[in-house]
Amino acid sequence: MSNTELHQLGVAELAAQLKSKEISAVEAAQHFLARAKQHQHLGAFVSIHEDTTLAQARAADALIAQGKGGRLAGVPIAHKDIFVTKDFPTTAASKMLKGYQSPFDATVVTKLAASGAVTLGKLNCDEFAMGGANENSAIAPVGFDAAQPVRNPWNTERVPGGSSGGSAAAVAARLAPAVTGTDTGGSIRQPASFCGITGIKPTYGRASRYGMIAFASSLDQAGPMGRSAEDCALLLSEMCGPDLDRDSTSLDVPAEDFTAQLNDSIEGLRIGVPAEFFGDGLSADVRAAVDASLKEYEKLGAKLVPITLPRTELSVPVYYILAPAEASSNLSRFDGVKFGHRAQKYADLNDMYKKTRAEGFGDEVKRRIMIGAYVLSEGYYDAYYLQAQRIRRMIADDFQTAFKDCDVIAGPAAPTTAWAIGGKSDPVSNYLADIFTLPASLAGLPGLSLPAGFGDAGMPVGLQLIGNYFSEGKLLNAAHRFQQATDFHLQRPAGI
Ligand code: GLN
């Protein structure tokens, strides 16, 4: 295999070639580092340290030579800059954490490293994972002097989605075979959909949140993003598992090998199609691609079942009360005392807090802190926060009613394909675009997005699959069977 083709390999193929020593981990790392440089105009990476990566790759080669090394031995990956890493700085794409060096690795990072993965660097995202277009990063990507929006490799004038936009762009441009992302209200599924790749958010509590910089703790989950369901299954199997001492919401459910179910038949699989996901807000091009992919599922033996998720519309106001409420509490730790930015000049302690936070946080983060503080304040708590909690429970119950009639739920991941950079300046229009990913997030259910074709101007469309708790294997199996019958996931942007 010539080195120029190495980046076209998926995780499974790459891992096999590394194990058989057809290529070395050092060669693979060098190849992807060179690609990252070649495509740095996308703004996908916020930090790269070649020496660190190559040292990890040499260590992986040494293990492979001894016949050791885990399932991902030598496979280069990259992490969203929300996961703390001791070998790379961690910023959460915020000025508040510029230059911050963590003394430890996030559990997900530790687990992937234990499996032999080599870290290429850290990936751009929206500040503190707040956003859906990756236009809110406050950190200059590698190769730039100032912060930039991340660009979509399918059309560099368009957004890659967010908040894991750097992650999605990196996979779509083949700058890494697979990466990590986080999903609080859709940040794995929506950018996966915008960039024509596959991504899965597991059941809440399956992947440890230890070392994941908190946005909204009752919603935040880590997950993999890659080209195919098979690659995501490989990574997710290594990422999950109990971490009870370090994350109080970690579930005591053993790690699972999600690749084991990949080839199960989906004959007779009941796919619920929620009417509310196909209303007026859905653009015609996305609807056409999603409808065609549902037909493909019928050809594969699945049965489509009409279902209803009646509170879908309420998921937007509910999420945009609860997530900011939790964010305002989580972000109170950034006060200039323990870590990160501190204002240079201040009169007294209160002034130091104020100036530090005014300088350190970007506009969207400040907006959420204000909304959060408002909905939690006396007098408004009952009217907003408590009501939102109640409706959250009803949304979760609606899913359980739906799962009596179906095994998985399918619909669009987002109402449109990727929009133009700068095209949605009003925050509310950004929030509304999250409507199809928020319900599963609020219910804590696993959700996946897979490439399902192309819409207007050749932009990718994602099909979302939502399963009941702990059905990641079933979702990945359903996605894998689709990918064996179609080639949308193998298509790539021009020039990539
Ligand atoms: N777009 C949503 C938001 O801005 C989701 C973000 C996420 O999942 N991290 O909150």
Side-chain angles (χ1 to χ4, degrees):
M1 156 104 17
S2 82
N3 260 1
T4 48
E5 288 170 271
L6 215 148
H7 55 273
Q8 305 299 358
L9 298 176
V11 175
E13 300 151 308
L14 200 53
Q17 295 202 7
L18 284 156
K19 192 147 281 171
S20 66
K21 302 194 196 72
E22 261 170 89
I23 44 169
S24 70
V26 167
E27 280 168 338
Q30 280 168 336
H31 180 81
F32 282 100
L33 287 169
R35 276 193 73 74
K37 200 167 267 167
Q38 197 187 343
H39 294 273
Q40 65 184 19
H41 61 278
L42 295 171
F45 278 90
V46 284
S47 65
I48 286 180
H49 284 173
E50 294 204 9
D51 292 349
T52 305
T53 301
L54 293 175
Q56 290 184 6
R58 279 192 296 273
D61 277 333
L63 282 177
I64 293 170
Q66 295 165 32
K68 294 190 202 147
R71 224 166 165 194
L72 299 176
V75 174
I77 60 162
H79 293 292
K80 183 176 182 180
D81 207 21
I82 284 282
F83 295 94
V84 300
T85 41
K86 61 178 168 21
D87 295 337
F88 294 83
T90 303
T91 66
S94 180
K95 270 192 215 145
M96 193 56 107
L97 283 174
K98 198 172 171 190
Y100 172 68
Q101 189 59 56
S102 167
F104 66 97
D105 280 333
T107 296
V108 160
V109 172
T110 306
K111 280 178 164 286
L112 287 168
S115 178
V118 170
T119 307
L120 292 169
K122 301 294 286 293
L123 296 161
N124 212 342
C125 56
D126 283 304
E127 184 174 358
F128 288 106
M130 297 177 190
N134 217 144
E135 294 177 294
N136 297 339
S137 172
I139 294 291
V142 174
F144 290 88
D145 304 326
Q148 308 285 320
V150 177
R151 295 179 180 275
N152 189 319
W154 291 89
N155 177 339
T156 53
E157 298 307 312
R158 299 214 185 194
V159 302
S163 63
S164 312
S167 300
V171 173
R174 310 290 189 257
L175 311 187
V179 299
T180 56
T182 62
D183 191 311
T184 303
S187 282
I188 288 176
R189 290 160 285 158
Q190 184 255 27
S193 144
F194 280 15
C195 288
I197 64 162
T198 309
I200 180 167
K201 172 198 102 77
T203 305
Y204 179 79
R206 266 219 130 157
S208 171
R209 290 186 300 108
Y210 181 71
M212 237 171 82
I213 294 175
F215 160 15
S217 309
S218 77
L219 296 150
D220 297 342
Q221 263 302 282
M225 302 165 80
R227 286 162 28 179
S228 66
E230 183 184 16
D231 288 356
C232 287
L234 270 165
L235 259 78
L236 189 65
S237 306
E238 304 299 315
M239 290 166 76
C240 291
D243 194 17
L244 307 176
D245 294 340
R246 294 177 151 169
D247 172 3
S248 60
T249 57
S250 171
L251 294 171
D252 197 4
V253 176
E256 217 179 279
D257 180 2
F258 297 113
T259 62
Q261 291 178 50
L262 284 181
N263 291 312
D264 288 359
S265 162
I266 58 164
E267 186 74 47
L269 182 79
R270 296 170 305 160
I271 300 183
V273 184
E276 294 78 5
F277 279 46
F278 293 83
D280 288 345
L282 182 63
S283 74
D285 58 336
V286 173
R287 175 193 290 264
V290 168
D291 282 347
S293 60
L294 292 177
K295 288 225 169 69
E296 182 65 41
Y297 267 113
E298 279 187 305
K299 271 201 239 156
L300 294 171
K303 261 185 26 214
L304 303 184
V305 185
I307 59 158
T308 173
L309 293 172
R311 272 167 276 249
T312 297
E313 241 176 49
L314 288 177
S315 65
V316 179
V318 166
Y319 173 87
Y320 280 98
I321 288 170
L322 297 178
E326 294 185 27
S328 77
S329 163
N330 272 325
L331 270 56
S332 62
R333 73 189 59 155
F334 300 104
D335 58 3
V337 176
K338 283 213 192 90
F339 28 57
H341 178 72
R342 177 184 296 174
Q344 296 230 304
K345 286 202 183 118
Y346 46 87
D348 54 22
L349 183 64
N350 264 333
D351 194 42
M352 190 277 281
Y353 290 153
K354 266 197 226 159
K355 290 205 170 109
T356 295
R357 290 167 68 82
E359 291 167 9
F361 291 135
D363 288 348
E364 184 59 29
V365 175
K366 286 180 186 156
R367 185 176 296 121
R368 305 226 184 170
I369 292 173
M370 285 190 287
I371 296 172
Y374 179 82
V375 300
L376 288 174
S377 60
E378 203 183 329
Y380 296 107
Y381 181 89
D382 291 349
Y384 295 106
Y385 184 76
L386 221 66
Q387 286 294 83
Q389 289 287 29
R390 291 198 179 110
I391 303 170
R392 179 181 189 175
R393 164 55 57 146
M394 292 176 181
I395 290 171
D397 289 346
D398 289 343
F399 274 108
Q400 291 315 310
T401 307
F403 283 126
K404 289 191 180 128
D405 299 324
C406 62
D407 305 306
V408 301
I409 292 171
T416 64
T417 59
W419 53 84
I421 292 176
K424 266 196 209 287
S425 46
D426 161 33
V428 175
S429 70
N430 275 287
Y431 300 168
L432 288 170
D434 295 335
I435 182 157
F436 299 138
T437 49
L438 298 178
S441 298
L442 290 165
L445 294 168
L448 173 155
S449 177
L450 73 154
F454 297 88
D456 293 347
M459 294 308 287
V461 173
L463 176 74
Q464 183 180 203
L465 301 177
I466 301 168
N468 213 340
Y469 303 109
F470 308 113
S471 67
E472 292 83 359
K474 194 184 280 180
L475 294 180
L476 289 160
N477 164 236
H480 181 64
R481 299 307 297 227
F482 183 87
Q483 292 181 334
Q484 284 182 318
T486 59
D487 68 353
F488 301 125
H489 65 296
L490 298 177
Q491 300 197 26
R492 44 187 204 260
I496 295 299

